[in-house]
Amino acid sequence: SASQPLVHDMNDSVNEESKEYTMLVVDDNEAVRKLLEEIFSPFYKLIVASDGAQAWEECLSKLPDIVVTDVLMPKMNGTDLCRKIKTDVATCHIPVVLLTARVDVEHNIEGVLMGADDYIAKPFDTRLLVSRCNNLVNSRKMLQEKFSRQPDLSSKVLATNSLDKEMMDRVTSVIERNLDN
């Protein structure tokens, strides 16, 4: 039903087979990575990476439903990973949450300009982090469902970034040209 959340409530623990959505967790600090795994494993199938370069490969091959990444990492930082995700047509729809110990506004702005869907400062409240991630996944899935039921929606409403808009315009054009076929 439409009133049911797509990702389970924080109090619901679900078995691995019933987990519908996948999260890519990225952090070079093993203790933080383990903490994030512990926090999110009741709700998501998890893919784990210890640096941005490895995360990018995992993202391309597994197309997770959401990415939660630290900002400061070796090989490729979280901001650059976010930029790559948001500028590649295969991955630009994936929500990205940046985690950082930096709380200054300039770094928040940089993350948002790279297309981050949320920016959360460490130390974070576990309930807030899970709720924000669940909200991002739920809203993205509801948007996909709405579009699949109402394909005539404007691409301006559906597109969350310029790459999405360009792709939606092309798809709409092809569909309109071939409607009678």
Side-chain angles (χ1 to χ4, degrees):
S1 98
S3 64
Q4 292 283 7
L6 294 171
V7 175
H8 300 282
D9 217 313
M10 282 193 62
N11 297 325
D12 291 347
S13 184
V14 292
N15 63 33
E16 201 62 34
E17 298 80 48
S18 67
K19 293 177 193 172
E20 192 173 345
Y21 302 108
T22 305
M23 172 183 283
L24 172 58
V25 172
V26 192
D27 202 301
D28 62 317
N29 181 311
E30 186 177 356
V32 174
R33 209 169 49 245
K34 294 289 183 201
L35 173 65
L36 291 171
E37 287 181 68
E38 189 177 308
I39 290 168
F40 286 111
S41 64
F43 315 106
Y44 296 90
K45 294 175 201 160
L46 293 179
I47 306 163
V48 180
S50 58
D51 64 64
Q54 179 191 5
W56 175 238
E57 294 304 317
E58 293 286 358
C59 200
L60 283 174
S61 66
K62 301 201 174 118
L63 295 174
D65 294 294
I66 187 167
V67 174
V68 176
T69 181
D70 188 24
V71 171
L72 296 176
M73 294 183 298
K75 297 185 182 174
M76 182 191 306
N77 67 39
T79 307
D80 289 340
L81 173 63
C82 181
R83 181 188 303 115
K84 283 181 92 77
I85 291 170
K86 294 300 184 174
T87 56
D88 189 296
V89 74
T91 58
C92 63
H93 64 285
I94 299 171
V96 176
V97 176
L98 296 175
L99 301 176
T100 185
R102 297 171 146 179
V103 292
D104 57 272
V105 174
E106 286 303 312
H107 284 96
N108 284 349
I109 291 171
E110 180 186 5
V112 171
L113 289 175
M114 292 307 125
D117 295 273
D118 211 338
Y119 202 95
I120 298 178
K122 294 178 187 176
F124 48 80
D125 180 280
T126 301
R127 292 164 305 165
L128 179 64
L129 178 60
V130 170
S131 296
R132 284 184 167 175
C133 290
N134 287 352
N135 285 346
L136 284 167
V137 171
N138 287 338
S139 62
R140 200 61 47 102
K141 294 302 175 184
M142 284 188 283
L143 187 60
Q144 288 171 349
E145 286 177 18
K146 182 174 179 130
F147 180 65
S148 69
R149 285 191 308 263
Q150 295 177 292
D152 59 336
L153 283 176
S154 164
S155 61
K156 291 178 186 71
V157 172
L158 292 163
T160 57
N161 60 49
S162 61
L163 209 55
D164 286 349
K165 183 185 177 326
E166 182 183 319
M167 186 178 82
M168 289 304 301
D169 288 343
R170 282 187 289 165
V171 166
T172 302
S173 173
V174 169
I175 290 170
E176 286 173 353
R177 282 195 317 268
N178 292 287
L179 208 52
D180 293 330
N181 185 353

